Amino acid sequence: IQMLLLPSPLMEVYVPEMPVVALHGGDVTLNCSFSVATPFNLSDLTVFWQLTDTKRSVHGYREGHDQLVDQAESFANRTSLFPAQLGLGNTSLLLSRVVVADEGSYTCFVRVQDYGSAALLLQVAASYSKPVVTLEPESNLRPGDAVALTCVAYGGYPQADVIWQDGGGRNLTDNITTSLVANEKGLFSMTSVLTVVLEPNSTYSCRLINPLLGEEGYASVTITGQNIAFPPVALWVTIGLAVCLLVLLIALAAVCRRKIKESCEEARREGKRGWKRRGGVEGKKEGERRL
């Protein structure tokens, strides 16, 4: 029975321990280097980059030339080494026009006489648009109504952390529902909905934080007393009471006017009767004097 004996991995290969963050649409360098005890010829150098999980080929170099026959189609025309640095032990990979699908673990394999390998993690990030907060419904609001506040931001990656607060800084994040929709590029549109019980003169803010970029987006909405319509039922009750009061005042004014008129007429009649009585008495006295 023949056994294939492979050399033990004696070569040290170095890659970043922390994840490498690349901006969507930009270029990123996946750093990899190695050290050997003796000088070597580039024709003896083999470099192979592959996806750790799927083993798909990302970039190959052997016998002094790039070897891209087996390269995965998604990486075509987007990868390159640094030829002038290879002799110095620099086998870093330049990945251009980064997309969300590039995210994952990459293994750097190097061989001269001995061989070694190491893996690093690539994370992709994209900035979100400035968030916008809207109110639903926008009209016919009454104190005590349940109102949905919606915070929307577009074109970002990965999922952002969302923090809702009221005007006093109280965290309202427990009352939210957040959804993600990816576009054809894998970038997210984030929609976060906060449901609150309406109070006049209240401020609500939405803050989005991109965990990879550390970027924050902020938007807020203030609901003032002017935004809250008078309750329809109370409005009609008030109108009805006002009409009733007006009718009552008109009726009262009419009654008072009639009473005053009647009083005046009665006073005139009393005046006439008194004048007639005085006239009769005086005439009788005058006649007695003449007799």
Side-chain angles (χ1 to χ4, degrees), residues 149 151 162-165 170-173 176 192 194 205-206:
L149 302 173
C151 180
V162 183
I163 299 175
W164 283 92
Q165 291 179 316
R170 185 165 58 98
N171 195 319
L172 307 174
T173 306
I176 69 173
S192 181
L194 169 69
S205 64
C206 167

Side-chain angles (χ1 to χ4, degrees), residues 151-264:
C151 180
V152 180
Y154 302 94
Y157 191 86
Q159 179 177 349
D161 299 322
V162 183
I163 299 175
W164 283 92
Q165 291 179 316
D166 61 14
R170 185 165 58 98
N171 195 319
L172 307 174
T173 306
D174 292 340
N175 302 324
I176 69 173
T177 301
T178 301
S179 60
L180 290 174
V181 177
N183 61 16
E184 67 281 359
K185 297 180 180 179
L187 302 179
F188 291 141
S189 294
M190 284 194 62
T191 303
S192 181
V193 180
L194 169 69
T195 302
V196 296
V197 176
L198 186 62
E199 297 178 3
N201 302 315
S202 298
T203 298
Y204 301 94
S205 64
C206 167
R207 192 154 54 101
L208 264 66
I209 304 172
N210 190 312
L212 292 184
L213 299 178
E215 295 177 344
E216 293 190 12
Y218 178 87
S220 65
V221 61
T222 299
I223 306 172
T224 65
Q226 296 176 349
N227 298 114
I228 303 177
F230 207 95
V233 175
L235 179 62
W236 287 113
V237 170
T238 303
I239 293 175
L241 290 175
V243 171
C244 291
L245 181 60
L246 180 61
V247 171
L248 182 62
L249 290 174
I250 294 174
L252 183 61
V255 170
C256 291
R257 184 177 180 182
R258 186 171 66 251
K259 290 293 185 181
I260 293 173
K261 184 177 180 181
E262 290 176 354
S263 298
C264 291

Side-chain angles (χ1 to χ4, degrees), residues 19-274:
V20 178
V21 178
L23 285 176
H24 181 271
D27 300 344
V28 63
T29 298
L30 305 181
N31 289 312
C32 179
S33 61
F34 68 95
S35 60
V36 291
T38 59
F40 64 93
N41 194 311
L42 287 181
S43 61
D44 297 327
L45 174 65
T46 297
V47 179
F48 190 70
W49 280 89
Q50 68 177 14
L51 294 177
T52 306
D53 298 331
T54 64
K55 309 302 181 185
R56 289 194 304 160
S57 174
V58 177
H59 194 97
Y61 178 93
R62 188 172 65 252
E63 299 177 351
H65 302 284
D66 289 331
Q67 302 291 334
L68 305 178
V69 176
D70 296 328
Q71 185 183 48
E73 184 178 353
S74 60
F75 293 104
N77 301 315
R78 294 201 298 130
T79 62
S80 62
L81 300 176
F82 298 87
Q85 299 290 318
L86 292 175
L88 303 177
N90 184 357
T91 53
S92 300
L93 178 73
L94 176 64
L95 178 61
S96 302
R97 303 183 300 280
V98 173
V99 296
V100 171
D102 292 334
E103 193 170 65
S105 177
Y106 290 73
T107 297
C108 173
F109 176 93
V110 181
R111 180 172 183 173
V112 182
Q113 295 173 345
D114 301 317
Y115 73 94
S117 65
L120 58 81
L121 181 64
L122 174 64
Q123 294 180 310
V124 179
S127 300
Y128 281 90
S129 65
K130 178 178 173 57
V132 176
V133 175
T134 57
L135 179 68
E136 181 66 33
E138 295 183 354
S139 58
N140 298 323
L141 299 176
R142 294 175 293 173
D145 283 352
V147 179
L149 302 173
T150 302
C151 180
V152 180
Y154 302 94
Y157 191 86
Q159 179 177 349
D161 299 322
V162 183
I163 299 175
W164 283 92
Q165 291 179 316
D166 61 14
R170 185 165 58 98
N171 195 319
L172 307 174
T173 306
D174 292 340
N175 302 324
I176 69 173
T177 301
T178 301
S179 60
L180 290 174
V181 177
N183 61 16
E184 67 281 359
K185 297 180 180 179
L187 302 179
F188 291 141
S189 294
M190 284 194 62
T191 303
S192 181
V193 180
L194 169 69
T195 302
V196 296
V197 176
L198 186 62
E199 297 178 3
N201 302 315
S202 298
T203 298
Y204 301 94
S205 64
C206 167
R207 192 154 54 101
L208 264 66
I209 304 172
N210 190 312
L212 292 184
L213 299 178
E215 295 177 344
E216 293 190 12
Y218 178 87
S220 65
V221 61
T222 299
I223 306 172
T224 65
Q226 296 176 349
N227 298 114
I228 303 177
F230 207 95
V233 175
L235 179 62
W236 287 113
V237 170
T238 303
I239 293 175
L241 290 175
V243 171
C244 291
L245 181 60
L246 180 61
V247 171
L248 182 62
L249 290 174
I250 294 174
L252 183 61
V255 170
C256 291
R257 184 177 180 182
R258 186 171 66 251
K259 290 293 185 181
I260 293 173
K261 184 177 180 181
E262 290 176 354
S263 298
C264 291
E265 291 178 351
E266 182 65 24
R268 285 199 297 270
R269 286 196 294 271
E270 288 295 329
K272 290 181 179 179
R273 285 198 295 270

